[in-house]
């Protein structure tokens, strides 16, 4: 034990003692037994830092915090600031390691898609870095092959027509991807309007339809279409005139939560998009695009009801607009049953030709397993409209050989180790375990999602659905402090625990997580003055 206080607090509870002993035992074996299946254990490379990093590694934790506070803006938030920020210095598989050597189970990190420090991906990045890393103006096999492999992940790749998703733009982040997607939609809309006579005193607005509480990035263009950010602070407080916001299709506590089934929910929620298209065109303006996350994360893990997207897209395309699918959070098999979240709400009885296919798709976070690479995938007809404007698209670091090596390796590991299937299997286990906890405790109101994209909504009353905001903050703080489990909170009322771990998350990880979660729920009734803990920023 690190101290007498730690010893006394741990030995009082059998579960805490078991987890403590388990961690100490596993620390002697570098998680080999747990993650060998996914090859997440390194090969024992030297841990000695190069000369240029020795000063940084020599800083004491309080020095790190002091320097950050002095030189970095406070708007750059820190997770768990209310209980002491974590200084994370290492990671393996589904575990993060702090400066003291403590291991934390990571249930929230969808950036390290194939696990922290995956040796195959590290090897690919290191190999390419030793050879070359430069801008994207030169031909390089990594970029060319990665564009092909990415396009081949979409169901239209073998069609080869003007509506197939076969044109790729590489960028650095999800925000950049969505920003470029909006540019592409504007270019397409502009080309479509070229042959339409427009009065000079009435230039039509190119309107975007977005979903309430959506988040698409931090650039000026993406902030305009991100109502989630409009509810925070005073920088942007509402959508500009060219953006039409519609309710998010929440079947649990949304404006139509009383629907008897998915079919009725689809009819009710899609009507808002249909009405928005009608309003835009009747005002003499044009529908530029319908922009939607396949799975809404910051809204609290909202997956649309069956056929919702296809019905919305039909109305948008009838009005001359495009469908942009934001897959930054949910792409690359995270939902288990499908590679892309936009496929999730397709009706299983539809023929392939009837299933919805976006005009533009954006991917980001997990693409490089932590390296800054993202992409926009679109159709030849949309790419052609953009090219016809005569503006060169150049992005210095996008498609760099090293980042493309990371992308190639991530896709290789994802396929080789069948991580999409792992998300389906372990995600189903998580749903089952949480359902059992819900039956034993009244704090869980809803369990939703698919694969490794799950939302556990906590409520004070399962009938009134009063949000358990303070209790959710408490649970996440205790999971981190007592059980060394890292979680994330989202949702309009900040009462949804969002589960989106690395894709190597195992069944053992799932059992540990839910066991610790239930222990926190058991402790809740005995906790007074929850508000004194403060909000847990995750």
């Amino acid at each position: 034990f690190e101290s007498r206080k730690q010893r006394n607090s741990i030995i009082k509870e059998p579960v805490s003692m078991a987890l403590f002993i388990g961690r100490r035992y596993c620390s002697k074996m570098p998680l080999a037994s747990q993650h060998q299946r996914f090859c997440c254990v390194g090969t024992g490379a030297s841990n000695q830092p190069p000369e240029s990093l020795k000063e940084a590694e020599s800083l004491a934790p309080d020095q790190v915090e002091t320097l950050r506070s002095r030189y970095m803006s406070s708007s750059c938030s820190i997770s768990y600031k209310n209980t002491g920020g974590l200084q994370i210095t290492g990671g393996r598989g589904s575990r993060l390691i702090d400066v003291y050597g403590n291991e934390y189970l990571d249930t929230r990190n969808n950036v390290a898609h194939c696990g922290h420090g995956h040796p195959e991906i590290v090897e690919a990045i290191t190999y390419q870095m030793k050879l070359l890393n430069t801008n994207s103006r030169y031909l390089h096999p990594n970029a060319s092959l990665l564009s092909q492999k990415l396009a081949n992940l979409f169901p239209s790749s073998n069609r080869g027509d003007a509506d197939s998703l076969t044109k790729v733009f590489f960028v650095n982040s999800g925000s950049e991807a969505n920003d470029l997607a909006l540019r592409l939609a504007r270019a397409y809309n502009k080309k479509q309007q070229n042959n339409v006579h427009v009065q000079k005193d009435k230039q039509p607005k190119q309107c975007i339809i977005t979903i309430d509480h959506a988040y698409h990035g931090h650039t000026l263009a993406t902030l305009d279409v991100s109502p989630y950010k409009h509810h925070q602070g005073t920088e942007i407080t509402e959508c500009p005139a060219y953006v039409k916001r519609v309710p998010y299709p929440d079947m649990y506590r949304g404006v139509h939560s009383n629907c008897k089934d998915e079919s009725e929910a689809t009819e009710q929620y899609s009507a808002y998009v249909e009405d928005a298209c009608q309003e835009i065109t009747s005002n003499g303006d044009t529908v530029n695009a319908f922009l939607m996350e396949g799975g809404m994360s910051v809204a609290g893990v909202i997956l649309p009801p069956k056929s919702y997207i296809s019905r919305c897209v039909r109305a948008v395309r009838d009005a001359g607009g495009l469908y942009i699918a934001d897959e930054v959070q949910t792409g690359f098999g995270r939902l288990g049953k499908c590679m892309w979240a936009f496929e999730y709400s397709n009706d299983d009885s539809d023929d392939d030709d009837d299933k919805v296919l976006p005009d533009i798709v954006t991917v980001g976070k997990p693409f490089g397993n932590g390296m800054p690479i993202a992409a926009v995938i679109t159709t030849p007809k949309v790419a052609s409209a953009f090219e016809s404007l005569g503006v060169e698209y150049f992005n210095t670091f996008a498609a760099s050989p090293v980042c493309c090596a990371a992308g190639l390796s991530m896709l290789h590991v994802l396929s080789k180790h069948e991580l999409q299937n792992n998300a389906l299997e372990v995600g189903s286990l998580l749903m089952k375990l949480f359902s059992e906890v819900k039956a034993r405790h009244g704090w869980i109101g809803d369990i939703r999602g698919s694969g490794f994209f799950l939302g556990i909504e906590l409520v004070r009353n399962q009938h009134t659905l009063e949000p358990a905001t303070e209790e959710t903050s408490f649970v996440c703080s205790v999971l981190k402090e007592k059980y060394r489990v890292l979680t994330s909170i989202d949702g309009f009322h900040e009462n949804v625990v969002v589960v989106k771990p690395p894709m190597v998350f195992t069944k053992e990880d799932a059992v540990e997580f839910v066991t610790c979660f239930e222990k926190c729920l058991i402790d809740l009734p005995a906790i007074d003055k929850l508000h004194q803990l403060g909000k847990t920023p995750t």
Side-chain angles (χ1 to χ4, degrees):
F1 297 98
E2 295 171 3
S3 67
R4 183 181 296 273
K5 182 179 179 181
Q6 184 195 41
R7 173 189 179 277
N8 292 339
S9 66
I10 288 179
I11 62 176
K12 290 179 182 178
E13 298 192 34
V15 172
S16 298
M17 189 64 183
L19 291 172
F20 178 84
I21 294 172
R23 287 194 193 98
R24 288 294 184 239
Y25 178 73
C26 289
S27 67
K28 307 297 183 184
M29 302 173 58
L31 296 178
S33 59
Q34 187 175 358
H35 294 295
Q36 187 174 17
R37 175 184 170 191
F38 302 118
C39 299
C40 288
V41 180
T43 55
S46 172
N47 289 325
Q48 293 302 312
E51 186 69 28
S52 58
L53 297 182
K54 285 183 178 179
E55 181 182 6
E57 294 216 355
S58 69
L59 293 174
D62 60 332
Q63 291 177 298
V64 172
E65 189 171 354
T66 298
L67 288 174
R68 181 185 176 106
S69 177
R70 182 178 300 170
Y71 295 107
M72 294 179 65
S73 169
S74 60
S75 63
C76 302
S77 62
I78 301 175
S79 294
Y80 301 103
K81 188 175 182 180
N82 66 323
T83 55
L86 286 169
Q87 185 173 331
I88 298 297
T89 57
R92 298 191 299 263
S94 62
R95 307 276 165 162
L96 286 172
I97 305 165
D98 72 10
V99 67
Y100 303 107
N102 299 313
E103 291 182 354
Y104 295 81
L105 179 62
D106 186 1
T107 75
R108 54 171 287 176
N109 202 316
N110 62 337
V111 177
H113 199 55
C114 299
H116 299 286
H118 197 290
E120 293 180 67
I121 299 175
V122 171
E123 182 182 21
I125 293 169
T126 305
Y127 171 82
Q128 183 57 55
M129 192 66 182
K130 289 179 179 179
L131 292 176
L132 173 72
N133 197 30
T134 187
N135 67 53
S136 57
R137 289 191 186 274
Y138 303 104
L139 288 170
H140 197 279
N142 288 0
S144 297
L145 183 61
L146 183 58
S147 62
Q148 180 199 42
K149 288 184 176 292
L150 182 58
N152 285 345
L153 293 176
F154 293 94
S156 63
S157 62
N158 59 354
R159 292 201 325 229
D161 57 29
D163 294 316
S164 58
L165 290 163
T166 54
K167 294 296 181 181
V168 176
F169 294 80
F170 288 113
V171 292
N172 300 296
S173 68
S175 293
E176 278 193 8
N178 285 324
D179 191 281
L180 178 57
L182 294 172
R183 284 181 64 189
L184 294 175
R186 183 176 63 184
Y188 179 79
N189 186 276
K190 183 175 182 179
K191 185 176 181 180
Q192 297 300 104
Q193 295 299 314
N194 277 346
N195 297 325
V196 178
H197 177 69
V198 178
Q199 297 179 10
K200 291 186 177 180
D201 60 343
K202 175 119 179 28
Q203 290 294 327
K205 292 194 297 286
Q206 291 194 31
C207 297
I208 303 291
I209 300 174
T210 191
I211 310 292
D212 194 18
H213 219 63
Y215 176 63
H216 298 289
H218 59 75
T219 69
L220 284 174
T222 55
L223 283 172
D224 278 353
V225 295
S226 297
Y228 162 73
K229 284 294 185 182
H230 306 168
H231 301 305
Q232 299 180 336
T234 58
E235 181 186 12
I236 302 175
T237 57
E238 60 184 18
C239 291
Y242 78 93
V243 177
K244 303 298 179 183
R245 182 180 64 193
V246 298
Y248 58 102
D250 182 358
M251 295 178 62
Y252 179 66
R253 66 162 68 245
V255 292
H256 296 292
S257 57
N258 59 345
C259 292
K260 64 179 183 294
D261 54 28
E262 284 193 89
S263 177
E264 183 181 350
T266 291
E267 183 176 348
Q268 296 281 1
Y269 281 111
S270 62
Y272 290 99
V273 176
E274 294 167 345
D275 291 345
C277 291
Q278 177 64 33
E279 179 186 350
I280 291 168
T281 55
S282 64
N283 289 336
D285 296 320
T286 63
V287 177
N288 184 317
F290 171 57
L291 173 61
M292 183 179 180
E293 302 160 274
M296 301 181 68
S297 180
V298 297
V301 183
I302 305 299
L303 290 174
K306 291 291 184 185
S307 301
Y308 167 82
I309 292 180
S310 61
R311 182 162 170 172
C312 292
V313 171
R314 189 181 308 119
V316 169
R317 286 177 174 161
D318 286 346
L322 301 177
Y323 166 37
I324 303 173
D326 181 345
E327 292 281 345
V328 172
Q329 291 272 11
T330 52
F332 298 109
R334 175 157 294 279
L335 270 61
K337 66 169 290 187
C338 46
M339 179 60 69
W340 308 109
F342 69 76
E343 299 174 292
Y344 183 83
S345 72
N346 281 330
D347 193 314
D348 295 334
S349 63
D350 288 344
D351 294 331
D352 288 343
D353 291 339
D354 295 328
K355 292 179 179 178
V356 66
L357 191 68
D359 301 289
I360 304 172
V361 179
T362 60
V363 299
K365 291 184 187 302
F367 194 11
N369 210 64
M371 292 293 285
I373 183 170
V376 179
I377 308 93
T378 190
T379 65
K381 72 177 183 183
V382 174
S384 176
F386 185 69
E387 293 159 3
S388 70
L389 299 179
V391 179
E392 174 198 30
Y393 178 76
F394 174 65
N395 191 320
T396 303
F397 298 111
S400 72
V402 170
C403 285
C404 285
L408 286 169
S409 187
M410 189 284 289
L411 293 180
H412 173 74
V413 171
L414 182 70
S415 173
K416 175 182 176 182
H417 297 294
E418 300 180 339
L419 297 185
Q420 181 180 338
N421 187 62
N422 184 63
L424 182 62
E425 289 184 358
V426 181
S428 297
L429 174 62
L430 281 166
M431 293 279 278
K432 175 179 178 293
L433 294 174
F434 273 114
S435 295
E436 293 171 356
V437 174
K438 180 183 178 183
R440 292 191 290 268
H441 305 280
W443 291 105
I444 297 180
D446 193 30
I447 304 165
R448 54 182 177 263
S450 176
F452 283 155
F453 185 65
L454 304 178
I456 315 300
E457 181 156 355
L458 301 188
V459 295
R460 290 173 178 166
N461 186 303
Q462 291 182 340
H463 300 290
T464 66
L465 308 189
E466 180 185 359
T469 301
E470 292 177 335
E471 290 84 353
T472 306
S473 188
F474 166 81
V475 167
C476 287
S477 291
V478 174
L479 280 170
K480 171 244 183 181
E481 286 290 297
K482 189 173 183 179
Y483 300 111
R484 293 179 185 162
V485 177
L486 304 182
T487 49
S488 179
I489 300 173
D490 266 317
F492 186 80
H493 299 285
E494 297 184 326
N495 67 320
V496 180
V497 177
V498 178
V499 183
K500 46 183 182 181
M503 299 280 279
V504 296
F505 206 76
T506 65
K507 292 179 179 179
E508 292 80 6
D509 292 334
V511 171
E512 178 183 345
F513 174 35
V514 179
T515 299
C516 297
F517 192 95
E518 184 171 19
K519 288 289 293 181
C520 293
L521 295 184
I522 293 171
D523 289 342
L524 270 175
I527 304 299
D528 294 326
K529 301 178 181 178
L530 281 172
H531 64 278
Q532 293 183 357
L533 291 173
K535 175 186 174 183
T536 302
T538 61

